[in-house]
Amino acid sequence: MQKFLKLNIFVLLINLVIFYFPAHSEEPKIFIETITKEASKILSSDISKFEKMSGLKVIAKENVDIKGIGLYTLGSHRKNLTDSKKKEYLDLFNKYFLKSFSSRLAEYSDPKINVLSQKKLNEKYTIVSSILLATDKRPEVKIDWRVYTKNKEKPLIRDLIIEGLSLARTQKEEFNSVITSSDNGIEGLFSNLKNFIKN
Amino acid sequence: MKKLILTLVFGFFFCLNSTASENEETTKDCFEKLNKGIFAFNQGLDKAIFKPLAKGYRILPSPIRTGVGNSLNNLSNLTTIPNNILQGEIKLAGQNTLRFVINTTIGILGIFDPASSMGLEEYIKEDYGQTLGSWGAGPGCYLILPIFGPTTSRDLVGTVVSLAGGDTWYNVTVRNDTQYFSDFDYYFSRVGSGIDFRAKNLESLDNLEENSLDFYASVKSLYLQDRKQKVLNSDVIINTQDDSDWDDLETK
């Protein structure tokens, strides 16, 4: 009887290791479904635009790799930055991103997103495909989410690809243009970011 | 016909000599100052004319706008089909011809889209710029045209090919003096396409402008990504996006 009990405990432990721990790693598709539901709930609720933006900022802070996107969008320019300048940039980018992201989304009232499928590109990235359903004002929009899956327990969004157009890449090219066309180089970008945050 | 083929072949060699292939990342902004000037002019024109027209168009009931969109899409088959053939997509050319015939007849001049309900594959527009790209011609320089907006030297050659006889709709309305159509029909459809596009993108373009640090650079990036994807006819942005910049980022 005691032997049987021991065996049972052993089997139970094995089951815990096999089934419980992987259950904590989140499937990218479910991860995106959860986020879009949360965002949709905020956007369809009867609150002010400011309150909606605050809610969306909380979601973004938790689920978007803002620091990673910030460094990516600097491209080769980030290699020329000192540590203190990099810190200053990341702080500015964080504020810029949250304002820009939440104000872009806050315009959509009650968006309906159907998450369709996921495609694993490699260990680090999975693309989750979804559709923003058409309304009277706009046609259906295909949205792909580039999810960074290196830490399987904490996936993070690194890019939104809308109808095949990458927002991270657009941002990177925009920042590069600001830096190269400014007489002050990277400082020109910093002052543009400060102006955007202030206004 | 001879003129059309000559334009296409000349355009191909012109683009092939002028730049690298589609897979390479950079498209030069050879006339940046001039482009930015024309871009500002176009923005003014948009605010004064196109945006108010698009807003007015939005007031029309949704079924009417859908019908107009369908009808314009149906007309674009006349450019898509020869390009399907030039790109070696013979089966697709057949399907699009069938689509055009069904929608023009049963669909009453393309207002309705019974072809899609009959299970024909999703319609994807093609043009001569895309064909030149699929033959290996690079985009060349990035250009902004007054009124028409962003293009590249390759896509501009594509437009010349259309006007030199490659667009059947242009041929039967403007080039040839047929008794069925007039120049007005062509220009009306072109302006209609522009307004339909603007109306579908009212909020997204406003949003982009409001949240951009450099609107010109954002539009340029989006246009070039879109053309690249259309030339390669695949989800290239996803599949070939350069990850090297991400690789050394270990943030969280």
Side-chain angles (χ1 to χ4, degrees):
Chain A
M1 183 63 191
Q2 204 181 11
K3 204 176 167 186
F4 181 67
L5 197 69
K6 270 184 184 170
L7 186 71
N8 263 345
I9 290 169
F10 178 69
V11 170
L12 185 73
L13 282 173
I14 292 287
N15 277 337
L16 269 176
V17 170
I18 295 173
F19 298 110
Y20 179 77
F21 290 107
H24 272 270
S25 70
E26 203 169 2
E27 277 291 302
K29 185 172 174 262
I30 297 168
F31 166 64
I32 297 298
E33 266 169 355
T34 312
I35 294 169
T36 50
K37 269 183 198 157
E38 274 178 48
S40 203
K41 205 170 150 188
I42 291 171
L43 291 168
S44 57
S45 57
D46 190 20
I47 51 175
S48 68
K49 188 183 171 187
F50 180 78
E51 286 170 313
K52 283 181 184 177
M53 282 173 69
S54 302
L56 292 168
K57 281 180 188 174
V58 173
I59 295 177
K61 275 182 196 167
E62 187 58 29
N63 301 297
V64 180
D65 184 6
I66 302 175
K67 189 179 172 188
I69 297 170
L71 292 172
Y72 170 80
T73 50
L74 262 192
S76 58
H77 299 289
R78 74 167 177 269
K79 284 158 193 151
N80 307 323
L81 284 185
T82 60
D83 284 349
S84 64
K85 281 286 164 196
K86 197 181 275 183
K87 194 174 170 296
E88 185 186 350
Y89 166 74
L90 286 173
D91 183 46
L92 284 172
F93 183 80
N94 187 57
K95 289 175 186 152
Y96 161 79
F97 180 86
L98 290 172
K99 186 180 175 189
S100 154
F101 168 85
S102 58
S103 107
R104 280 181 198 203
L105 283 187
E107 299 296 333
Y108 292 91
S109 54
D110 196 18
K112 301 245 179 327
I113 295 181
N114 280 354
V115 180
L116 306 173
S117 60
Q118 65 176 38
K119 182 183 169 192
K120 186 176 171 180
L121 295 183
N122 50 48
E123 282 308 309
K124 286 185 187 171
Y125 292 107
T126 296
I127 299 288
V128 177
S129 300
S130 68
I131 294 280
L132 174 65
L133 298 182
T135 66
D136 246 15
K137 290 183 177 172
R138 53 166 171 71
E140 185 179 275
V141 181
K142 185 177 175 234
I143 303 175
D144 294 312
W145 310 70
R146 190 178 183 85
V147 183
Y148 183 54
T149 47
K150 194 175 179 197
N151 179 356
K152 290 188 170 42
E153 271 133 61
K154 184 68 193 136
L156 291 167
I157 297 164
R158 275 198 160 173
D159 195 4
L160 246 70
I161 300 143
I162 299 174
E163 292 289 339
L165 313 176
S166 156
L167 292 191
R169 187 170 159 183
T170 307
Q171 187 99 77
K172 184 181 169 188
E173 287 170 1
E174 187 189 0
F175 278 21
N176 181 54
S177 172
V178 173
I179 294 167
T180 51
S181 63
S182 163
D183 294 336
N184 303 321
I186 194 88
E187 292 297 335
L189 175 67
F190 284 13
S191 82
N192 268 287
L193 288 171
K194 282 174 192 163
N195 282 340
F196 183 88
I197 295 161
K198 209 162 44 178
N199 294 328
Chain B
M1 188 65 186
K2 196 178 162 191
K3 197 175 162 189
L4 169 69
I5 293 168
L6 274 175
T7 316
L8 201 57
V9 171
F10 171 75
F12 171 67
F13 284 109
F14 168 73
C15 294
L16 203 62
N17 285 328
S18 70
T19 184
S21 78
E22 194 66 47
N23 285 320
E24 290 185 25
E25 286 292 311
T26 49
T27 302
K28 282 184 186 166
D29 200 343
C30 315
F31 311 100
E32 192 175 346
K33 272 193 176 167
L34 180 66
N35 280 345
K36 284 186 171 172
I38 301 172
F39 185 76
F41 168 76
N42 283 352
Q43 272 188 288
L45 209 63
D46 179 61
K47 283 190 174 73
I49 300 171
F50 290 108
K51 202 172 162 186
L53 280 174
K55 279 183 175 172
Y57 176 74
R58 268 278 188 86
I59 298 168
L60 293 173
S62 176
I64 293 181
R65 280 184 281 132
T66 307
V68 172
N70 285 345
S71 185
L72 293 166
N73 257 343
N74 191 49
L75 271 180
S76 71
N77 267 302
L78 295 171
T79 304
T80 297
I81 295 162
N83 281 290
N84 288 147
I85 296 167
L86 289 168
Q87 290 174 34
E89 303 270 9
I90 307 299
K91 191 183 160 199
L92 201 56
Q95 275 188 1
N96 284 334
T97 306
L98 188 62
R99 168 184 290 278
F100 179 71
V101 171
I102 293 170
N103 284 351
T104 307
T105 52
I106 306 171
I108 314 170
L109 299 176
I111 294 170
F112 302 100
D113 182 18
S116 290
S117 318
M118 289 175 185
L120 281 182
E121 249 179 65
E122 188 192 358
Y123 173 61
I124 298 166
K125 285 182 191 173
E126 295 288 339
D127 57 48
Y128 290 97
Q130 285 167 255
T131 295
L132 288 168
S134 75
W135 289 355
C141 291
Y142 177 70
L143 306 165
I144 302 272
L145 301 179
I147 304 168
F148 297 100
T151 188
T152 59
S153 34
R154 178 193 61 209
D155 294 339
L156 188 60
V157 171
T159 307
V160 173
V161 174
S162 281
L163 301 179
D167 178 359
T168 312
W169 178 233
Y170 181 77
N171 294 344
V172 299
T173 49
V174 181
R175 269 170 71 89
N176 302 324
D177 193 13
T178 60
Q179 52 179 313
Y180 306 106
F181 301 104
S182 67
D183 293 15
F184 174 80
D185 298 319
Y186 178 78
Y187 295 115
F188 185 73
S189 68
R190 292 290 301 195
V191 173
S193 285
I195 293 169
D196 187 56
F197 172 81
R198 190 67 183 92
K200 282 175 180 162
N201 294 283
L202 266 178
E203 286 82 8
S204 49
L205 283 173
D206 284 354
N207 217 322
L208 184 70
E209 187 174 0
E210 202 179 304
N211 290 291
S212 288
L213 298 184
D214 183 340
F215 187 46
Y216 172 84
S218 294
V219 171
K220 178 182 159 192
S221 170
L222 291 170
Y223 175 79
L224 293 174
Q225 284 185 63
D226 183 49
R227 289 304 289 174
K228 182 178 177 183
Q229 177 163 258
K230 282 177 174 161
V231 165
L232 296 173
N233 286 327
S234 69
D235 290 336
V236 284
I237 302 297
I238 294 171
N239 294 332
T240 66
Q241 186 164 323
D242 181 13
D243 281 337
S244 57
D245 257 357
W246 292 109
D247 282 348
D248 51 335
L249 302 175
E250 297 296 337
T251 55
K252 286 195 182 181

